[in-house]
Amino acid sequence: MIALRKRDSEKSDNPETIKKSLDEIVQKLDQDAEASRSWGSSVTSNKEEWEKLKKKIHDRQIALKQLVTDKKAGIIGVDEFNAKYQKLQDELTELEFVVYNMRLGTKVQ
């Protein structure tokens, strides 16, 4: 993941600041009616971006499944599997953060 800038890191060292930030994120993730409306609004207002994001996630998931299949079939070795697996997992994690940030209107990293 992208490293925090020094200024952000210093601010985030305070336990109270961390707790408050996490509480705000959890509250935004709460699945109440307002959250559902917010999600729907975000999807409809950024339709093209959501479609691209969904396709990227789907493509990475397919690549991950193929990678596992190739390993089980003995087509690739353990070292190659581990390197590619980690890369795909990192890409999926980054895409998940994009989804959450679009959903919440935040810039969490």
Side-chain angles (χ1 to χ4, degrees):
M1 291 306 325
I2 299 172
L4 291 174
R5 292 178 302 208
K6 184 176 181 179
R7 191 181 91 226
D8 292 340
S9 179
E10 289 170 359
K11 284 195 284 186
S12 66
D13 286 342
N14 181 335
E16 282 300 313
T17 304
I18 294 169
K19 183 181 181 330
K20 183 179 178 185
S21 176
L22 289 174
D23 287 344
E24 289 172 1
I25 291 171
V26 168
Q27 185 177 9
K28 287 181 179 183
L29 285 171
D30 190 19
Q31 293 300 314
D32 61 7
E34 183 62 33
S36 294
R37 283 192 295 277
S38 172
W39 179 256
S41 173
S42 179
V43 170
T44 56
S45 65
N46 299 303
K47 186 90 171 153
E48 188 175 310
E49 195 171 344
W50 280 112
E51 291 302 318
K52 287 179 184 177
L53 189 55
K54 280 178 18 182
K55 182 175 179 357
K56 285 181 183 178
I57 291 170
H58 180 72
D59 291 347
R60 297 318 185 283
Q61 289 171 333
I62 289 173
L64 199 54
K65 288 178 185 177
Q66 185 61 50
L67 184 64
V68 170
T69 301
D70 290 350
K71 182 182 178 230
K72 286 182 179 180
I75 297 171
I76 62 171
V78 174
D79 291 337
E80 183 180 358
F81 171 82
N82 289 338
K84 289 182 178 181
Y85 178 83
Q86 187 61 52
K87 182 177 186 281
L88 286 168
Q89 285 293 79
D90 290 346
E91 290 172 1
L92 281 167
T93 299
E94 287 182 29
L95 291 169
E96 287 176 16
F97 273 101
V98 172
V99 168
Y100 286 126
N101 285 326
M102 285 179 68
R103 157 76 170 80
L104 301 173
T106 61
K107 293 184 191 240
V108 175
Q109 295 184 356

